Amino acid sequence: MIKLLGALLIMLGCGSVGFKMAAGYLREERYLKQIISILDYMECELQYRLMALPELCMRAAEHCGGKLKLLLLSLIREMEAQISPDAERCMSAALSKHRDIPPISTEILEKFGHSLGKFDLQGQLKGINDIRTECKYHLDQLLGNQESRLKAYRTLALCAGAALAILFF
């Protein structure tokens, strides 16, 4: 009975790792889509209103939700707390407070921070476009064969758990 319970726990443990990997994959996809949406919104606002960076971030925060909204609000607080705001450092500080953002999204947001507030309008728009292009590239990579990849994560994890259970049984 104890061996059977142990085998079941091994299978559940390995299976949960595969399901967690699949969930992380889907989470990264959601974040990239949200970042693209934020960038689109910022580009439109810059083209038509040419507003200051903190106000632009505030409007973008109102446009999105979840962790990215909290990140943008942290970015605004960081910019307001500094005497001469350096958007790159502010973005790094805001990202350091939000460690739960997936790795690819964090990398893209760091690159976005490098271009924030450094150029004129055309430079800002080009920076947003470059970041959006990179975001779409990563999103396309994630979406390619998505179903089979997620199924493989889950199946391999369950099979690994079953193999370990058989070895120990």
Side-chain angles (χ1 to χ4, degrees), residues 1-11 14 159-169:
M1 184 68 167
I2 291 176
K3 285 184 179 183
L4 188 59
L5 180 63
L8 181 64
L9 289 175
I10 289 172
M11 285 184 62
C14 288
C159 289
L164 283 174
I166 289 170
L167 286 174
F168 291 134
F169 196 60

Side-chain angles (χ1 to χ4, degrees), residues 2-60:
I2 291 176
K3 285 184 179 183
L4 188 59
L5 180 63
L8 181 64
L9 289 175
I10 289 172
M11 285 184 62
L12 286 175
C14 288
S16 66
V17 168
F19 282 88
K20 185 176 179 178
M21 287 175 59
Y25 188 88
L26 293 171
R27 187 168 166 249
E28 185 80 72
E29 178 187 323
R30 276 193 317 272
Y31 271 83
L32 289 174
K33 286 179 180 177
Q34 262 191 317
I35 291 170
I36 291 171
S37 175
I38 289 169
L39 293 172
D40 290 341
Y41 182 80
M42 285 181 147
E43 181 180 28
C44 290
E45 285 290 333
L46 277 175
Q47 285 178 343
Y48 296 109
R49 296 191 191 173
L50 192 63
M51 60 184 64
L53 188 57
E55 185 181 348
L56 178 66
C57 290
M58 179 59 79
R59 289 188 184 238

Side-chain angles (χ1 to χ4, degrees), residues 82-100:
Q82 293 188 5
I83 295 171
S84 62
D86 178 11
E88 182 178 349
R89 288 185 186 154
C90 292
M91 179 63 88
S92 295
L95 283 170
S96 69
K97 294 176 184 174
H98 298 276
R99 295 264 181 214
D100 52 346

